[in-house]
Amino acid sequence: ARIQAFNDDIRNWIQNNAGRTAQATYVIPTVVHVIQEDATEYPSDACILNQIDVLNEDFQAINADTALVPQDFKPLIGNCDVEFCLATVDPQGNPSTGIIRSIDPTNANHSMSQSSQMKALSQWDPTRYLNIWITKTISGGILGYATFPTALTSNPSEDGIVLNGEYVGRN
């Protein structure tokens, strides 16, 4: 029922905004929580910034691989008018780089079942920030995962994206 209500809301928004021409880009403050085994900075800040660039290219339809889209689907390519940027202010109003590194010596092989605990320890307000967690690896060969939006789960403590650190950045 929640998924149906969510889908209905999206359909209603699309119908009510059809023909809308002037659009402002919606900026999404993003915080990247890097969960590390030790003080080694992996992935580097440059690699994380590169990943933010990749997200922006993908969501703004300016990534190079849009040329590979089959001709029949090219008319469906669209700019989502969103921009991800690292948060410059933390939840308490203090300056931030948007990259938060935490040491967890047990993080050798993160599993999805550990996600709730990891998120509870470090999540910033999901109504104000997109939370991304980067772990060294995720068990089972998973590149990353995310939860449904809060409107579907009614559990804001689960909002966010978890990425396998081996696959962060352009390469």
Side-chain angles (χ1 to χ4, degrees), residues 8-164:
D8 290 345
D9 286 346
I10 291 172
R11 262 191 295 284
N12 289 335
W13 187 92
I14 291 170
Q15 288 173 351
N16 293 332
N17 290 280
R20 187 178 116 180
T21 55
Q23 299 184 158
T25 299
Y26 185 77
V27 177
I28 301 173
T30 304
V31 59
V32 178
H33 307 273
V34 182
I35 312 301
Q36 306 172 170
E37 291 182 76
D38 54 39
T40 305
E41 287 195 11
Y42 174 80
S44 68
D45 287 0
C47 185
I48 293 167
L49 289 168
N50 183 258
Q51 182 63 55
I52 298 295
D53 290 343
V54 169
L55 280 172
N56 285 321
E57 291 167 10
D58 289 344
F59 279 80
Q60 295 169 14
I62 57 173
N63 49 330
D65 61 357
T66 56
L68 302 175
V69 174
Q71 193 62 39
D72 290 344
F73 295 103
K74 286 193 187 251
L76 302 175
I77 296 173
N79 180 341
C80 295
D81 293 313
V82 298
E83 179 181 351
F84 300 91
C85 69
L86 290 174
T88 57
V89 178
D90 73 9
Q92 290 75 41
N94 300 311
S96 174
T97 64
I99 300 172
I100 309 300
R101 295 182 181 274
S102 303
I103 296 177
D104 178 1
T106 65
N107 186 40
N109 195 15
H110 171 80
S111 70
M112 290 174 70
S113 64
Q114 296 167 311
S115 181
S116 295
Q117 180 183 9
M118 175 183 66
K119 290 176 178 181
L121 294 173
S122 57
Q123 184 184 50
W124 288 14
D125 180 355
T127 65
R128 296 177 49 210
Y129 302 92
L130 170 63
N131 287 269
I132 298 175
W133 288 268
I134 298 174
T135 65
K136 184 173 180 186
T137 60
I138 301 174
S139 62
I142 298 171
L143 303 180
Y145 59 90
T147 58
F148 282 109
T150 302
L152 296 179
T153 64
S154 300
N155 189 357
S157 67
E158 289 296 317
D159 280 357
I161 301 163
V162 179
L163 298 175
N164 183 327

